[in-house]
Amino acid sequence: MGEVKIIEIKKSVFADNEKDADSLRTELKEKKVFLLNLMSSPGSGKTTTLIQILNRIKNKVRVAVMEADIDGDVDAVKIKEATGVPSIQLHTGGMCHLDAEMTRQGLDNLNLEETDLVILENVGNLVCPAEFDTGATCNAMILSVPEGDDKPLKYPLMFSVCDLVLINKMDVLPYFDFNMERCKRFIQMRNANAQVIPISAKTGDGLDAFANWLLDRISEC
Amino acid sequence: MGEVKIIEIKKSVFADNEKDADSLRTELKEKKVFLLNLMSSPGSGKTTTLIQILNRIKNKVRVAVMEADIDGDVDAVKIKEATGVPSIQLHTGGMCHLDAEMTRQGLDNLNLEETDLVILENVGNLVCPAEFDTGATCNAMILSVPEGDDKPLKYPLMFSVCDLVLINKMDVLPYFDFNMERCKRFIQMRNANAQVIPISAKTGDGLDAFANWLLDRISEC
């Protein structure tokens, strides 16, 4: 269980990422594969959230995970061990984001014929990943309570490209100056259609709501 | 008090950033200006830490602040109001880092003849800012407890380029699974010379140690 495949991602050769992302999205739709691109700051709890969600949905859909990181394979191993879900590690070689071609390099290492849902854990970064369309069916992000409710003001693009914002670490809300209503208002300013779900990956609170949101989206796809 | 100068930073024209950074560092040394480049994830508490440190050193050295952000002027205004220290806001126009030429564009808007210390608050990002030498005399970073003690494993370059790692939000340590000894060991793996100072920007704990570290460095410069 302790070993996962590590893919060294190469720099893209395509000049027009948006076109390439659109064509990847079309291919995935034809293959009936839903690709969720999950983004956040470092340390917001992406991996713990993934473990919680995978254990809720893995018996309902066939899911695989791609963990993008600059270095290491800690996350992919952790996910495989905690959930049994097929996980591969993508090494970006220092690159701060993934684009569609780089995402495709990861997907080529999965068996898409037997997969309904691929979750891509993007590089921990609120800036660059928002600028590059990965070809995902849907973008989601995690903002954690300790980061502060003002983040939509400071990282506008990230919030405007995400259909779903998970507010994580709700269990420590009493210890931080984080105003949920203010945060929701700032998110709405960036993206009127974004859905907000408060969660605690530690306690599991809110994870059923996230699972239902995801399963609904997949069934519509 | 509520208004600050906003500088729209332009893309650099220099191809060789390392050379440019070295020449900026030499110029600053000749002018007896110490430039501290402060980096971190989004939401690690850079601005609050700055307010604490500025109020401790502003009567000992002549200090100015450059706040780099993708958008907004919230931080520069907050710092000016809370400390009275001259602060300007640098807009990166979506760019995820500052290089030496971009830093110089900011410095051109300060009165360096009457400044001993400039603190640059870099864009909130653990990846890209580590790759670009700003020409700073010294690099420091903030890692906050909620982000986790494993960050030096996942963002190796950031930890290896920093002379000082401040561990912030020590006041919430009891609520998180953060092992200080393990974190220090991981930091040492990346940079054997890095100094680690635990702080709480909220309570002020550890800020005197940071102030002393900084004043010592400036006097050696």
Side-chain angles (χ1 to χ4, degrees), chain A residues 147-171:
Chain A
E147 294 170 59
D149 54 27
D150 62 341
K151 290 299 154 293
L153 298 181
K154 302 180 80 177
Y155 301 90
L157 189 61
M158 177 56 78
F159 288 84
S160 64
V161 302
C162 284
D163 304 307
L164 174 69
V165 180
L166 299 166
I167 314 260
N168 192 21
K169 307 193 186 177
M170 286 297 291
D171 51 293

PDB file of all heavy atoms in Angstrom, chain A residues 147-171:
ATOM      1  N   GLU A 147      -6.758  31.445   7.685  1.00  0.00           N
ATOM      2  CA  GLU A 147      -6.232  32.337   6.633  1.00  0.00           C
ATOM      3  C   GLU A 147      -6.912  33.705   6.624  1.00  0.00           C
ATOM      4  O   GLU A 147      -6.352  34.653   6.090  1.00  0.00           O
ATOM      5  CB  GLU A 147      -6.409  31.690   5.251  1.00  0.00           C
ATOM      6  CG  GLU A 147      -5.582  30.446   5.051  1.00  0.00           C
ATOM      7  CD  GLU A 147      -5.980  29.714   3.774  1.00  0.00           C
ATOM      8  OE1 GLU A 147      -5.903  30.306   2.689  1.00  0.00           O
ATOM      9  OE2 GLU A 147      -6.407  28.543   3.874  1.00  0.00           O
ATOM     10  N   GLY A 148      -8.118  33.779   7.165  1.00  0.00           N
ATOM     11  CA  GLY A 148      -8.801  35.065   7.250  1.00  0.00           C
ATOM     12  C   GLY A 148      -9.909  35.225   6.230  1.00  0.00           C
ATOM     13  O   GLY A 148      -9.853  34.658   5.139  1.00  0.00           O
ATOM     14  N   ASP A 149     -10.928  36.026   6.607  1.00  0.00           N
ATOM     15  CA  ASP A 149     -12.106  36.186   5.749  1.00  0.00           C
ATOM     16  C   ASP A 149     -11.895  37.183   4.612  1.00  0.00           C
ATOM     17  O   ASP A 149     -12.770  37.380   3.778  1.00  0.00           O
ATOM     18  CB  ASP A 149     -13.330  36.582   6.597  1.00  0.00           C
ATOM     19  CG  ASP A 149     -13.068  37.811   7.457  1.00  0.00           C
ATOM     20  OD1 ASP A 149     -12.228  38.651   7.087  1.00  0.00           O
ATOM     21  OD2 ASP A 149     -13.711  37.926   8.525  1.00  0.00           O
ATOM     22  N   ASP A 150     -10.709  37.827   4.578  1.00  0.00           N
ATOM     23  CA  ASP A 150     -10.454  38.854   3.552  1.00  0.00           C
ATOM     24  C   ASP A 150      -9.808  38.299   2.277  1.00  0.00           C
ATOM     25  O   ASP A 150      -9.513  39.057   1.367  1.00  0.00           O
ATOM     26  CB  ASP A 150      -9.569  39.967   4.138  1.00  0.00           C
ATOM     27  CG  ASP A 150      -8.199  39.435   4.562  1.00  0.00           C
ATOM     28  OD1 ASP A 150      -8.054  38.209   4.741  1.00  0.00           O
ATOM     29  OD2 ASP A 150      -7.268  40.259   4.728  1.00  0.00           O
ATOM     30  N   LYS A 151      -9.565  37.019   2.220  1.00  0.00           N
ATOM     31  CA  LYS A 151      -8.819  36.457   1.091  1.00  0.00           C
ATOM     32  C   LYS A 151      -9.462  36.715  -0.282  1.00  0.00           C
ATOM     33  O   LYS A 151      -8.735  36.949  -1.250  1.00  0.00           O
ATOM     34  CB  LYS A 151      -8.512  34.967   1.297  1.00  0.00           C
ATOM     35  CG  LYS A 151      -7.488  34.706   2.398  1.00  0.00           C
ATOM     36  CD  LYS A 151      -6.153  35.340   2.090  1.00  0.00           C
ATOM     37  CE  LYS A 151      -5.334  35.650   3.319  1.00  0.00           C
ATOM     38  NZ  LYS A 151      -5.865  36.708   4.211  1.00  0.00           N
ATOM     39  N   PRO A 152     -10.811  36.722  -0.398  1.00  0.00           N
ATOM     40  CA  PRO A 152     -11.390  37.024  -1.716  1.00  0.00           C
ATOM     41  C   PRO A 152     -11.023  38.429  -2.213  1.00  0.00           C
ATOM     42  O   PRO A 152     -11.005  38.670  -3.420  1.00  0.00           O
ATOM     43  CB  PRO A 152     -12.902  36.909  -1.478  1.00  0.00           C
ATOM     44  CG  PRO A 152     -13.031  36.008  -0.296  1.00  0.00           C
ATOM     45  CD  PRO A 152     -11.853  36.317   0.582  1.00  0.00           C
ATOM     46  N   LEU A 153     -10.712  39.341  -1.298  1.00  0.00           N
ATOM     47  CA  LEU A 153     -10.302  40.685  -1.709  1.00  0.00           C
ATOM     48  C   LEU A 153      -8.898  40.656  -2.285  1.00  0.00           C
ATOM     49  O   LEU A 153      -8.567  41.434  -3.177  1.00  0.00           O
ATOM     50  CB  LEU A 153     -10.326  41.651  -0.511  1.00  0.00           C
ATOM     51  CG  LEU A 153     -11.684  41.882   0.144  1.00  0.00           C
ATOM     52  CD1 LEU A 153     -11.542  42.879   1.294  1.00  0.00           C
ATOM     53  CD2 LEU A 153     -12.701  42.380  -0.874  1.00  0.00           C
ATOM     54  N   LYS A 154      -8.055  39.772  -1.754  1.00  0.00           N
ATOM     55  CA  LYS A 154      -6.637  39.796  -2.108  1.00  0.00           C
ATOM     56  C   LYS A 154      -6.260  38.832  -3.229  1.00  0.00           C
ATOM     57  O   LYS A 154      -5.223  39.001  -3.858  1.00  0.00           O
ATOM     58  CB  LYS A 154      -5.796  39.523  -0.852  1.00  0.00           C
ATOM     59  CG  LYS A 154      -6.099  40.559   0.232  1.00  0.00           C
ATOM     60  CD  LYS A 154      -5.314  40.341   1.473  1.00  0.00           C
ATOM     61  CE  LYS A 154      -3.922  40.870   1.368  1.00  0.00           C
ATOM     62  NZ  LYS A 154      -3.184  40.721   2.632  1.00  0.00           N
ATOM     63  N   TYR A 155      -7.072  37.822  -3.438  1.00  0.00           N
ATOM     64  CA  TYR A 155      -6.791  36.832  -4.487  1.00  0.00           C
ATOM     65  C   TYR A 155      -8.033  36.702  -5.370  1.00  0.00           C
ATOM     66  O   TYR A 155      -8.670  35.651  -5.427  1.00  0.00           O
ATOM     67  CB  TYR A 155      -6.372  35.494  -3.866  1.00  0.00           C
ATOM     68  CG  TYR A 155      -5.147  35.679  -3.006  1.00  0.00           C
ATOM     69  CD1 TYR A 155      -5.250  35.980  -1.647  1.00  0.00           C
ATOM     70  CD2 TYR A 155      -3.864  35.645  -3.567  1.00  0.00           C
ATOM     71  CE1 TYR A 155      -4.126  36.229  -0.872  1.00  0.00           C
ATOM     72  CE2 TYR A 155      -2.742  35.886  -2.803  1.00  0.00           C
ATOM     73  CZ  TYR A 155      -2.879  36.171  -1.460  1.00  0.00           C
ATOM     74  OH  TYR A 155      -1.770  36.420  -0.701  1.00  0.00           O
ATOM     75  N   PRO A 156      -8.410  37.814  -6.050  1.00  0.00           N
ATOM     76  CA  PRO A 156      -9.706  37.863  -6.744  1.00  0.00           C
ATOM     77  C   PRO A 156      -9.897  36.762  -7.789  1.00  0.00           C
ATOM     78  O   PRO A 156     -10.968  36.151  -7.852  1.00  0.00           O
ATOM     79  CB  PRO A 156      -9.707  39.250  -7.398  1.00  0.00           C
ATOM     80  CG  PRO A 156      -8.317  39.787  -7.293  1.00  0.00           C
ATOM     81  CD  PRO A 156      -7.658  39.077  -6.157  1.00  0.00           C
ATOM     82  N   LEU A 157      -8.875  36.493  -8.595  1.00  0.00           N
ATOM     83  CA  LEU A 157      -9.056  35.545  -9.697  1.00  0.00           C
ATOM     84  C   LEU A 157      -9.417  34.150  -9.189  1.00  0.00           C
ATOM     85  O   LEU A 157     -10.291  33.480  -9.738  1.00  0.00           O
ATOM     86  CB  LEU A 157      -7.794  35.495 -10.571  1.00  0.00           C
ATOM     87  CG  LEU A 157      -7.950  34.705 -11.872  1.00  0.00           C
ATOM     88  CD1 LEU A 157      -9.022  35.315 -12.768  1.00  0.00           C
ATOM     89  CD2 LEU A 157      -6.618  34.619 -12.618  1.00  0.00           C
ATOM     90  N   MET A 158      -8.722  33.691  -8.149  1.00  0.00           N
ATOM     91  CA  MET A 158      -8.977  32.354  -7.607  1.00  0.00           C
ATOM     92  C   MET A 158     -10.446  32.188  -7.254  1.00  0.00           C
ATOM     93  O   MET A 158     -11.075  31.182  -7.581  1.00  0.00           O
ATOM     94  CB  MET A 158      -8.093  32.120  -6.370  1.00  0.00           C
ATOM     95  CG  MET A 158      -8.304  30.793  -5.677  1.00  0.00           C
ATOM     96  SD  MET A 158      -8.091  29.356  -6.746  1.00  0.00           S
ATOM     97  CE  MET A 158      -6.303  29.238  -6.832  1.00  0.00           C
ATOM     98  N   PHE A 159     -11.014  33.202  -6.571  1.00  0.00           N
ATOM     99  CA  PHE A 159     -12.408  33.075  -6.154  1.00  0.00           C
ATOM    100  C   PHE A 159     -13.357  33.194  -7.342  1.00  0.00           C
ATOM    101  O   PHE A 159     -14.429  32.611  -7.347  1.00  0.00           O
ATOM    102  CB  PHE A 159     -12.735  34.098  -5.061  1.00  0.00           C
ATOM    103  CG  PHE A 159     -12.100  33.743  -3.746  1.00  0.00           C
ATOM    104  CD1 PHE A 159     -10.783  34.086  -3.466  1.00  0.00           C
ATOM    105  CD2 PHE A 159     -12.802  33.004  -2.808  1.00  0.00           C
ATOM    106  CE1 PHE A 159     -10.180  33.718  -2.274  1.00  0.00           C
ATOM    107  CE2 PHE A 159     -12.215  32.629  -1.607  1.00  0.00           C
ATOM    108  CZ  PHE A 159     -10.901  32.990  -1.339  1.00  0.00           C
ATOM    109  N   SER A 160     -12.953  33.945  -8.380  1.00  0.00           N
ATOM    110  CA  SER A 160     -13.880  34.110  -9.500  1.00  0.00           C
ATOM    111  C   SER A 160     -13.924  32.879 -10.403  1.00  0.00           C
ATOM    112  O   SER A 160     -14.920  32.662 -11.082  1.00  0.00           O
ATOM    113  CB  SER A 160     -13.580  35.388 -10.279  1.00  0.00           C
ATOM    114  OG  SER A 160     -12.321  35.299 -10.870  1.00  0.00           O
ATOM    115  N   VAL A 161     -12.880  32.043 -10.404  1.00  0.00           N
ATOM    116  CA  VAL A 161     -12.904  30.850 -11.277  1.00  0.00           C
ATOM    117  C   VAL A 161     -13.483  29.608 -10.586  1.00  0.00           C
ATOM    118  O   VAL A 161     -13.596  28.562 -11.211  1.00  0.00           O
ATOM    119  CB  VAL A 161     -11.499  30.509 -11.850  1.00  0.00           C
ATOM    120  CG1 VAL A 161     -10.926  31.679 -12.643  1.00  0.00           C
ATOM    121  CG2 VAL A 161     -10.529  30.049 -10.760  1.00  0.00           C
ATOM    122  N   CYS A 162     -13.812  29.720  -9.286  1.00  0.00           N
ATOM    123  CA  CYS A 162     -14.277  28.527  -8.568  1.00  0.00           C
ATOM    124  C   CYS A 162     -15.798  28.468  -8.432  1.00  0.00           C
ATOM    125  O   CYS A 162     -16.425  29.439  -8.031  1.00  0.00           O
ATOM    126  CB  CYS A 162     -13.620  28.444  -7.188  1.00  0.00           C
ATOM    127  SG  CYS A 162     -11.910  27.877  -7.312  1.00  0.00           S
ATOM    128  N   ASP A 163     -16.363  27.295  -8.740  1.00  0.00           N
ATOM    129  CA  ASP A 163     -17.809  27.080  -8.603  1.00  0.00           C
ATOM    130  C   ASP A 163     -18.174  26.778  -7.157  1.00  0.00           C
ATOM    131  O   ASP A 163     -19.317  26.919  -6.760  1.00  0.00           O
ATOM    132  CB  ASP A 163     -18.238  25.878  -9.456  1.00  0.00           C
ATOM    133  CG  ASP A 163     -17.837  26.050 -10.911  1.00  0.00           C
ATOM    134  OD1 ASP A 163     -18.188  27.088 -11.494  1.00  0.00           O
ATOM    135  OD2 ASP A 163     -17.138  25.163 -11.449  1.00  0.00           O
ATOM    136  N   LEU A 164     -17.181  26.306  -6.404  1.00  0.00           N
ATOM    137  CA  LEU A 164     -17.439  25.895  -5.018  1.00  0.00           C
ATOM    138  C   LEU A 164     -16.293  26.385  -4.136  1.00  0.00           C
ATOM    139  O   LEU A 164     -15.123  26.205  -4.473  1.00  0.00           O
ATOM    140  CB  LEU A 164     -17.517  24.359  -4.935  1.00  0.00           C
ATOM    141  CG  LEU A 164     -17.635  23.752  -3.533  1.00  0.00           C
ATOM    142  CD1 LEU A 164     -19.000  24.075  -2.920  1.00  0.00           C
ATOM    143  CD2 LEU A 164     -17.439  22.235  -3.576  1.00  0.00           C
ATOM    144  N   VAL A 165     -16.650  27.002  -3.008  1.00  0.00           N
ATOM    145  CA  VAL A 165     -15.645  27.377  -2.008  1.00  0.00           C
ATOM    146  C   VAL A 165     -15.968  26.623  -0.720  1.00  0.00           C
ATOM    147  O   VAL A 165     -17.043  26.811  -0.130  1.00  0.00           O
ATOM    148  CB  VAL A 165     -15.642  28.901  -1.734  1.00  0.00           C
ATOM    149  CG1 VAL A 165     -14.580  29.254  -0.686  1.00  0.00           C
ATOM    150  CG2 VAL A 165     -15.396  29.690  -3.016  1.00  0.00           C
ATOM    151  N   LEU A 166     -15.046  25.746  -0.319  1.00  0.00           N
ATOM    152  CA  LEU A 166     -15.186  25.049   0.961  1.00  0.00           C
ATOM    153  C   LEU A 166     -14.473  25.877   2.017  1.00  0.00           C
ATOM    154  O   LEU A 166     -13.306  26.247   1.834  1.00  0.00           O
ATOM    155  CB  LEU A 166     -14.543  23.666   0.884  1.00  0.00           C
ATOM    156  CG  LEU A 166     -15.149  22.708  -0.161  1.00  0.00           C
ATOM    157  CD1 LEU A 166     -14.233  21.508  -0.384  1.00  0.00           C
ATOM    158  CD2 LEU A 166     -16.542  22.255   0.270  1.00  0.00           C
ATOM    159  N   ILE A 167     -15.145  26.211   3.113  1.00  0.00           N
ATOM    160  CA  ILE A 167     -14.487  26.934   4.204  1.00  0.00           C
ATOM    161  C   ILE A 167     -14.116  25.899   5.262  1.00  0.00           C
ATOM    162  O   ILE A 167     -14.995  25.404   5.977  1.00  0.00           O
ATOM    163  CB  ILE A 167     -15.389  28.023   4.816  1.00  0.00           C
ATOM    164  CG1 ILE A 167     -16.063  28.834   3.724  1.00  0.00           C
ATOM    165  CG2 ILE A 167     -14.603  28.879   5.799  1.00  0.00           C
ATOM    166  CD1 ILE A 167     -15.492  30.142   3.392  1.00  0.00           C
ATOM    167  N   ASN A 168     -12.848  25.577   5.333  1.00  0.00           N
ATOM    168  CA  ASN A 168     -12.374  24.476   6.190  1.00  0.00           C
ATOM    169  C   ASN A 168     -11.887  24.972   7.562  1.00  0.00           C
ATOM    170  O   ASN A 168     -11.696  26.163   7.766  1.00  0.00           O
ATOM    171  CB  ASN A 168     -11.241  23.723   5.468  1.00  0.00           C
ATOM    172  CG  ASN A 168     -10.891  22.404   6.140  1.00  0.00           C
ATOM    173  OD1 ASN A 168     -11.681  21.841   6.894  1.00  0.00           O
ATOM    174  ND2 ASN A 168      -9.686  21.921   5.890  1.00  0.00           N
ATOM    175  N   LYS A 169     -11.691  24.004   8.467  1.00  0.00           N
ATOM    176  CA  LYS A 169     -11.229  24.251   9.834  1.00  0.00           C
ATOM    177  C   LYS A 169     -12.257  25.043  10.648  1.00  0.00           C
ATOM    178  O   LYS A 169     -11.910  25.908  11.457  1.00  0.00           O
ATOM    179  CB  LYS A 169      -9.843  24.941   9.851  1.00  0.00           C
ATOM    180  CG  LYS A 169      -8.795  24.177   9.017  1.00  0.00           C
ATOM    181  CD  LYS A 169      -7.373  24.630   9.257  1.00  0.00           C
ATOM    182  CE  LYS A 169      -6.426  23.916   8.266  1.00  0.00           C
ATOM    183  NZ  LYS A 169      -5.034  24.325   8.371  1.00  0.00           N
ATOM    184  N   MET A 170     -13.536  24.722  10.406  1.00  0.00           N
ATOM    185  CA  MET A 170     -14.612  25.368  11.158  1.00  0.00           C
ATOM    186  C   MET A 170     -14.519  25.040  12.643  1.00  0.00           C
ATOM    187  O   MET A 170     -15.041  25.787  13.477  1.00  0.00           O
ATOM    188  CB  MET A 170     -15.974  24.920  10.608  1.00  0.00           C
ATOM    189  CG  MET A 170     -16.342  25.532   9.269  1.00  0.00           C
ATOM    190  SD  MET A 170     -16.512  27.343   9.336  1.00  0.00           S
ATOM    191  CE  MET A 170     -17.997  27.503  10.338  1.00  0.00           C
ATOM    192  N   ASP A 171     -13.835  23.939  12.980  1.00  0.00           N
ATOM    193  CA  ASP A 171     -13.699  23.552  14.394  1.00  0.00           C
ATOM    194  C   ASP A 171     -12.869  24.554  15.196  1.00  0.00           C
ATOM    195  O   ASP A 171     -12.990  24.618  16.416  1.00  0.00           O
ATOM    196  CB  ASP A 171     -13.083  22.146  14.514  1.00  0.00           C
ATOM    197  CG  ASP A 171     -11.806  22.002  13.706  1.00  0.00           C
ATOM    198  OD1 ASP A 171     -11.881  22.044  12.458  1.00  0.00           O
ATOM    199  OD2 ASP A 171     -10.726  21.872  14.307  1.00  0.00           O
TER     200      ASP A 171
END
